Amino acid sequence: MARIIVVTSGKGGVGKTTTSAAIAMGLAKRGHKTAVIDFDVGLRNLDLIMGCERRVVYDFVNVINGEANLNQALIKDKNCNQLYILPASQTRDKDALSLEGVGRVLEELSKDFKYVVCDSPAGIEKGAYLAMYYADDAFVVTNPEVSSVRDSDRMLGILASKSRRAELNMDPIKEYLLLTRYDPDRVESGEMLGLADVQEILSLHLLGVVPESKSVLNASNSGIPVILDEKSDAGQAYADVVARYLGEKKPLRFIDSKKGFLRKLFGGK
Amino acid sequence: MDQSSILDFRSGTFFAPILVLYNDDLEKIEQRLQEKIASAPDFFSNSPVLFDLSELNENGKEIDVEALISLLRKLSLFPIGIRGGDPSQEKRALELSVPVDSSRSRNDAILPEIQKKDDTMPEIQPVIREAVRAPAMMITQPVRSGQRIYAASDLVILAQVSAGAEIMAEGNIHVYNTLRGRALAGVQGDTTARFFCLDLQAELVSIAGIYKTSEDLKGTPRKKPVQVYLRDQALIIEELS
């Protein structure tokens, strides 16, 4: 039985697709057969981030409508043979997805795959709802910024009440906080919400902090998930996130302000 | 779980728009309803609706309850209650399986006026009510933004209430954590209802319709236990020593 992970946020542009690509690649690189699905029908990006946009023949909607089978639509990743991508349709819209269709596809994937990562679109409408409905785990991607925190909170409420697990009174979806685009210098100067502030407002288990990094844009330009850029801070942070998700203990990195560090080194505090 | 349990009545909340009628001309009503429904078809299609005849009755206007109910059903609305009707209208409605909502009283809470501040929101009121005062509703999970909780008697919340969440109770409200959302106590007009909180950072606090927004609550000590109650129609906020 596969573990279904939804990467969601409510707010747009916080790093869901970047995270979905990185996490899926991280899990696959560790030997777990992983599928990553783009739920953003009509505004697909996962294929670009994964670098497979030129190999898309069939998509998620085709599979749901029976126009293609799953094997025809799944694209094997060039960098890791344990990773498969199911792209979204670009020509249709979210009404083309159905709850029961999504359920069938996930059930079929569950037979062979260990992890299925669902890249949710922004918002709380149908696309986001379908992406989270069947989830076992939720990575709630949040920027350290007031509107993102508010929207993540709203999404947490929806995860707790509208998911399949909630409706069937099963154990609830396991919620994890992923704080992205974190800039410790700005936190130090009081411009940005700090780690402790966000945790206090959301009261949620922190899975990791990913720093604001130029490497993210480079990664999406080259179509290689940032976790494969082992020298980059963001790449390493995502590697830590995957490790923690799988049960390893890793201290939080990239949360200390450089200015603060230098002050400690030279200021003798 | 007790093997002999067969069923249970729980305190619940049900929201439905209230259709207030000012005109007794059924043709005009039908036309206007069609316009309203066309403006928001997803919202109104198969929507339950409570209809309020108090304005008509106060102005001496008669209306045929049976014709009104058929009209509503024809337009794919489900009449689920009649309010403000006279005894013969209520009797007719009951015969047509539309119950009487007697929750509206003369000295009612100013709760609807708070809703009026937001033009796009239809007026909403709880419809299913407990016959007996129920034990306090206990919530142990955080109340997230966008969630609404309604308790028919007292409400006790042991986790935080996020900004954008709404908690309402006909009786007292106790939040043994941080409140960042909206809290409305004594919502059916109980002016003796009180509000207790360990850390008051609310967007709005109201007792029996008398409210203060976070702007007015600026002076409140943070991270300190407080109680809020009404004295002479004014909200008093006091630290609990």
Side-chain angles (χ1 to χ4, degrees), chain A residues 47-53 77 79 217-225:
Chain A
D47 55 322
L48 293 168
I49 305 298
M50 297 297 303
C52 62
E53 74 274 20
D77 185 76
N79 292 304
L217 184 59
N218 294 337
S220 73
N221 285 340
S222 57
I224 298 174

Side-chain angles (χ1 to χ4, degrees), chain A residues 18 22 180-181 209-217 219 225-241 253-254:
Chain A
T18 303
T180 52
R181 306 195 71 167
V209 177
V210 181
E212 174 75 55
S213 175
K214 296 198 158 79
S215 59
V216 170
L217 184 59
V226 73
I227 198 173
L228 293 179
D229 183 356
E230 285 166 18
K231 293 211 183 75
S232 78
D233 45 2
Q236 289 174 25
Y238 275 119
D240 287 355
V241 166
R253 291 195 272 168
F254 315 111

